[in-house]
Amino acid sequence: MNAVQTFKLTKRFDGLVAVNGVDLEINKGELFSLLGPNGAGKTTTIRMLCCLLKPTRGTASVLGYDVVKTPFAVKKLIGVSPQDTILSERLNCWENLALIGKVHGLSYDEVARRSKELLETMGLMERSKDQVRKFSGGMKRRLSIAMALVSDPQVLFLDEPTLGLDPQARRTIWEYIAALKGKKTILLTTHYMEEADFLSDRIGIIDEGRVVALGTSQELKTNLFEMRSMVVTAENITAEVIADLQSKYSRLEMAKGRLKIYHKDLDFKGIVDYLHSRGVTVHSAALEQPTLEDVFIQITGKKLRD
Amino acid sequence: MKFWEIGKRNLKEIYRNPVLLGFLLGMPLAFMLVFCAAAGGGQASPIAMSIVDEDHSQTSSAFIQNLGGIEAIELNEPIYSEKSQAQEDLEDGRISLYLFIPSGFEEATQAQQAINLELAYKEADPMIGLQLKPIIEAVGSEFLGVVPPLNVELKGTESKIKNMAVNFYFPGIAIFGLMILVSTAAEIIAGDREKGFLARMFTTPARPWDFILGYSLPFIPVLIISTLIYLGVGMALGLTVVGNLGHAFLIFFLIGLCSIGIGMIVGSLVKSESQAGVSWLFIVPIAMISGAWFSVERMPSAIKSVAGALPFIHAIDASRAVLNGSSFSAIILDIYWIVGWAVVLFAVGIVLFRRTMVS
C-alpha cells in the first residue's frame, strides 16, 4: 500500500483548473517533492490531501484512507506545516505544540515529551517560553514544522517550508527535514529547485496543474535533459559573435560577460577555438551538469520563477 | 476534550491581547457609566402624576397612598373624580399623565380579579408613561396580593426604586452591551480563518462542535465579568434591584450565550475579520426594535412581531420585570424562549461550521 495515492485528482475553481488529473504514488518513508512555479497547483494538491478541499474529480488516499470519505481517519495520521507560517501568535512554543498534540489526542505526558524533543531538535528550547509573535521568520517556520511533527504523524505535508527565508535559515530547515528522511513519509512542495534536488527521493515536476515529469533528480536530469551546457566568461563578445553562436546552437544565454551555451552534442574545444578566432578574450570555460531548472525549462519552455 | 484545548488557546489569545481585553471588559464599564449618568444617576427628579379615582373606595385610597410612598412619583393634588376632567387637563397640557382607577376596583380586589388600570400620558412624551408603567404594575401586584384590602399598609417595597430611569434603561443597555459579543466572537473566528489558523486546525482530528465550543468557551468568563460590571456599576449609580438579582443575572447570562451563538454563525459565514463587522448591521436594528433604548409599545405590529420572535426583547422585558420585583414564574416563558434560541443558534453554528471545514 502506498502512503499517498492520487488518481486523476482534479480541482476546478470557477472554470480555472488548478489541478488537472494528477496521478501520484508516494511510497512509505519516501520524501517526495512537488516542484513547480507559483500557481502550478502544488498547494491545491496538498490541501486536497489534507481534507481541506474536496476534489472536483478523481480520488486521493492517505495510507489507504480516502480523503473525502474518511477525512477524520486521514487527519489522525497526518501532520501539516502550511505555506504561510500559521501559529497562535500569543502562545509560546510549548502551548502551540500542546494545542496540536492534545487535539490529536496525546496525553499531557506524551505532549511534554514530544515537545521537549522537538524544541531541542529545532533549536528553540531557549526561547520556548516566549510568545511566538516575537520570533523571527526562521524560528516560526521551525516551530511550524515542529507542530506538524508533535503528533508523531505517519505522513507529513510540508508546503513550501522555506518560502521567504534567508539562505542560512533555509539550510537549517533542510537539515531538519533531511533528518526525517526514511522515518516519515513526506510530501514537500517547493519552487526552489535546489531544495527539491537536495532533499528529495523523488520529484514530481508540476506545471499548470499537471505533473509533467516524475523521477529521481538524477533520472530527470539524465533522461529528460538531452542537452549539455558550457559556461564561458569572456570579454569583447560582439553582437556578430552572439548572432553567429545563436544560429549554430540550440540555446544561448548571455549576461555580463557570462555566456551559457546549450546543445545536444557540444563541441567544447571547437567553441573555445571559434571565440579566440573572433578576437574574444576567454577567461574561463567549463562544461556544466544540467540542473532541475534546465529540466523544467526543457519540459515547460519557461523558468521556474516565471 | 478537544474543545477544551481549543478554548484554552482562544482564552489565552484574548487575555494576552490587552487591546481586545480592554475593549471587552472596559466597554461595559464605560457604557454603563455613561448611560446611568445620562439617566440621572441617583438623583433623578420624581415624575408628577395625577390620579382619577372613580371607585372612591377605601381600597383605592390605600392604593393611591401606596403610590404616593414611592420616591420616584409625586402625586398631584387634587385627585380627580371624573376621567373626562383629567383628560381635558392632559390635552390642555396642565398635567403630564394620569392614572385612571375605574369603579369596581375594590370589588375586583376583594374577588381577586384582574384589574385594568389606565395610564394616560401626553403623546409627545411617551417615555414618562412607559417608565412608570412597570413601577405601577409592581406596586399593583404587591397591593393586590394582600387580602383583605383594609389591611394594606405602606410596605416600602415600591419605594426601593429610587431612580425609575435607571431601572428602565439598565436592562436594555446591559443587553445591548452583551450583544457586542456577537461581533467580537465573529471577528475572532473570522480573524483566525483569514490568517489561516483555522485551516491549520482543520487538518487535525477535531470535530465542528469542538471548534464551536472551543471558540465560545473563552467568552463565558468575559460574559460573567461583563454582567457583573453592568450590575455593579448600575447599582452604584442608582439601579434598584427589587426582585431577585440571581434571576436577573441568569437572564443576562442566557442572552449573552445567544449573542455568542450568533457570533459563531456570523464567524462561520464570513471570510475575513473586516467582513465580521457586518454583524453591526443587525445588532443595532435588533437592539432598537427589542426595546433596548425605548419601549416597543408604540411600534407597528409587524415590527413588534419580528422583535417578539427574537430573544432580545424577551430578555429585556424579563430583566426589567425581575429588577422591579416580578417573580421567576412570571418570566419563565421568556426564559424558555431565550434558552430555545441559544440551543438553536449553537446547533446552526455547528452545522455551518461543518460546511466551512471543507471547501
Side-chain angles (χ1 to χ4, degrees), chain A residues 249-304:
Chain A
Y249 299 104
S250 303
R251 208 169 103 219
L252 192 77
E253 289 173 5
M254 172 75 192
K256 292 180 184 172
R258 188 176 182 275
L259 195 64
K260 190 165 183 180
I261 305 164
Y262 295 82
H263 201 68
K264 191 171 181 180
D265 299 311
L266 204 58
D267 178 7
F268 181 84
K269 188 172 179 303
I271 291 171
V272 174
D273 288 348
Y274 165 77
L275 290 170
H276 280 144
S277 72
R278 301 299 299 265
V280 174
T281 312
V282 176
H283 294 303
S284 68
L287 284 169
E288 274 201 341
Q289 287 294 317
T291 65
L292 285 173
E293 175 100 26
D294 296 326
V295 175
F296 190 83
I297 294 167
Q298 164 86 359
I299 296 168
T300 67
K302 58 191 174 190
K303 289 188 174 182
L304 258 172

Side-chain angles (χ1 to χ4, degrees), chain A residues 80-198:
Chain A
V80 183
S81 176
Q83 186 178 118
D84 300 313
T85 309
I86 300 159
L87 309 166
S88 211
E89 295 282 324
R90 289 181 191 274
L91 267 55
N92 63 33
C93 293
W94 293 95
E95 290 166 336
N96 268 292
L97 291 167
L99 170 67
I100 302 292
K102 288 184 179 173
V103 169
H104 270 93
L106 266 61
S107 68
Y108 177 84
D109 288 343
E110 278 175 304
V111 167
R113 183 181 57 77
R114 293 279 306 157
S115 299
K116 186 168 178 286
E117 278 173 16
L118 287 164
L119 290 172
E120 278 167 357
T121 308
M122 297 288 178
L124 290 167
M125 190 55 93
E126 254 183 57
R127 300 281 308 275
S128 63
K129 289 183 178 169
D130 291 351
Q131 289 184 21
V132 299
R133 65 196 169 101
K134 297 168 187 167
F135 283 12
S136 67
M139 290 169 76
K140 285 182 177 179
R141 195 71 69 156
R142 277 182 275 157
L143 178 59
S144 181
I145 294 171
M147 285 166 73
L149 285 165
V150 71
S151 61
D152 199 14
Q154 294 184 49
V155 180
L156 187 61
F157 294 102
L158 302 175
D159 193 4
E160 301 273 9
T162 62
L163 184 69
L165 297 185
D166 60 61
Q168 194 185 345
R170 185 176 301 165
R171 180 63 66 171
T172 310
I173 300 276
W174 287 2
E175 284 165 13
Y176 295 133
I177 297 170
L180 295 168
K181 280 182 76 168
K183 299 172 189 165
K184 307 273 175 208
T185 304
I186 302 174
L187 173 54
L188 176 146
T189 71
T190 183
H191 66 266
Y192 297 124
M193 57 182 176
E194 312 91 329
E195 188 163 288
D197 211 356
F198 179 80

